[in-house]
Amino acid sequence: MADRRPARTAPDTRHVSDDALRQLVGFNIKRAMNVIAGDLRTTLTPFELRMVTYSALTLIGDNPSLSQAQLAAALSVERPNLVNVIEELAGRGLISRDRVPTDRRTNALRLTTQGARLLAQATEAVRAHEAQLLDGIDPADIATLRAVLGRIERNGTERI
Amino acid sequence: MADRRPARTAPDTRHVSDDALRQLVGFNIKRAMNVIAGDLRTTLTPFELRMVTYSALTLIGDNPSLSQAQLAAALSVERPNLVNVIEELAGRGLISRDRVPTDRRTNALRLTTQGARLLAQATEAVRAHEAQLLDGIDPADIATLRAVLGRIERNGTERI
DNA sequence: TATTGTTATACTCTATAACTATA
DNA sequence: TATAGTTATAGAGTATAACAATA
């Protein structure tokens, strides 16, 4: 009779319970966020944008002549972390960065025509990506999701 | 009449609109996650735990003799990133890490008595922290939140 | 030939201190 | 004295390649 040896070792597929972690709403939010961030990265790659550069473009588009300090506050990031982001977007010709005559410390950030066009294209892709993630979910439940997330944000004690 | 010069420059408090970003569910989830992560960090600091060490302890407690590879999969992190986490928890005497006789490649991870006690204390604090974040929210809406987050997670295409 | 745990490495994100120029 | 933008730096978190031991 022939040898019957396991030619290889199967990966350990025994079921692992994460029920205790799943009881925590924060854990479920983190897992959903991981999935969203991964998908969004893929969605933005063709535009050579990251989450932070896309968010910055959106805020600059909505608030022309925004300063970097204002943008940092709106994005909840520290000012130094924004310098390279701004440098990247300006270097690609997507935003202009003009010194303000009345306060020569500050930069007025604005979308260029090219930046506005790229933002419009990226936004269309992001909206489509969101629609896919939310596919099959009752719009009323999505409204509830928004309301609950907003309430959690306000209930938090950390300055973010 | 006295000089009236602005002694200092007030920070730029002009209102910045983030309405466009707020339309994206992903952005709202990210903001809520930032608040939760910040609060959770504060909650876990007295126990000298981080989110990943707390999650690891919880999973080990629920799945005694878990291997590092299984734990990494359950936490959605790569195996190399778990080595220092395990080293930290074992070094503090919170978990044991025993070679398995039937497969001497793998480690069987278990909570020590001390680890189980710390986990119980930390879990109590985390639950209280969650209750504060969810204060005033209709339990039915929280159930909807869980359901929608789970659906988003399953709708995602990225391997997480 | 494949898996476990590990080492080394690198890249991103984020936070703080301190500098300059401006106010 | 304080703010805007910047530089330098450090710490997390995360990802890949490759190794020795083991299956």
Side-chain angles (χ1 to χ4, degrees), chain B residues 74-90:
Chain B
L75 287 171
S76 294
V77 301
E78 296 301 317
R79 271 69 74 211
N81 296 328
L82 209 56
V83 173
N84 288 335
V85 171
I86 296 300
E87 184 63 27
E88 176 185 335
L89 293 174

Side-chain angles (χ1 to χ4, degrees), chain A residues 39-124:
Chain A
D39 271 7
L40 187 57
R41 183 184 304 269
T42 303
T43 301
L44 291 176
T45 293
F47 307 100
E48 294 181 86
L49 292 173
R50 294 169 291 151
M51 203 183 304
V52 65
T53 49
Y54 174 75
S55 301
L57 283 181
T58 300
L59 286 169
I60 294 169
D62 273 13
N63 302 274
S65 76
L66 197 68
S67 74
Q68 291 183 203
Q70 288 176 313
L71 179 58
L75 287 171
S76 295
V77 301
E78 297 301 317
R79 274 67 76 211
N81 295 328
L82 210 57
V83 173
N84 287 336
V85 171
I86 296 299
E87 183 63 26
E88 176 184 335
L89 293 174
R92 290 175 60 188
L94 301 176
I95 64 172
S96 61
R97 181 174 38 171
D98 303 315
R99 284 280 156 182
V100 177
T102 54
D103 186 344
R104 290 170 47 222
R105 295 172 300 183
T106 75
N107 288 333
L109 306 175
R110 292 186 198 83
L111 294 185
T112 62
T113 305
Q114 187 187 347
R117 186 165 3 122
L118 187 74
L119 175 59
Q121 293 169 349
T123 295
E124 190 176 359

Side-chain angles (χ1 to χ4, degrees), chain A residues 2-69:
Chain A
D3 285 343
R4 277 195 302 112
R5 295 176 301 120
R8 55 177 179 163
T9 309
D12 204 338
T13 54
R14 195 188 56 169
H15 177 255
V16 176
S17 163
D18 64 353
D19 293 349
L21 284 178
R22 285 290 179 188
Q23 286 179 22
L24 299 172
V25 170
F27 184 76
N28 292 285
I29 292 180
K30 178 172 172 53
R31 281 304 177 86
M33 188 59 218
N34 283 350
V35 169
I36 293 171
D39 271 7
L40 187 57
R41 183 184 304 269
T42 303
T43 301
L44 291 176
T45 293
F47 307 100
E48 294 181 86
L49 292 173
R50 294 169 291 151
M51 203 183 304
V52 65
T53 49
Y54 174 75
S55 301
L57 283 181
T58 300
L59 286 169
I60 294 169
D62 273 13
N63 302 274
S65 76
L66 197 68
S67 74
Q68 291 183 203

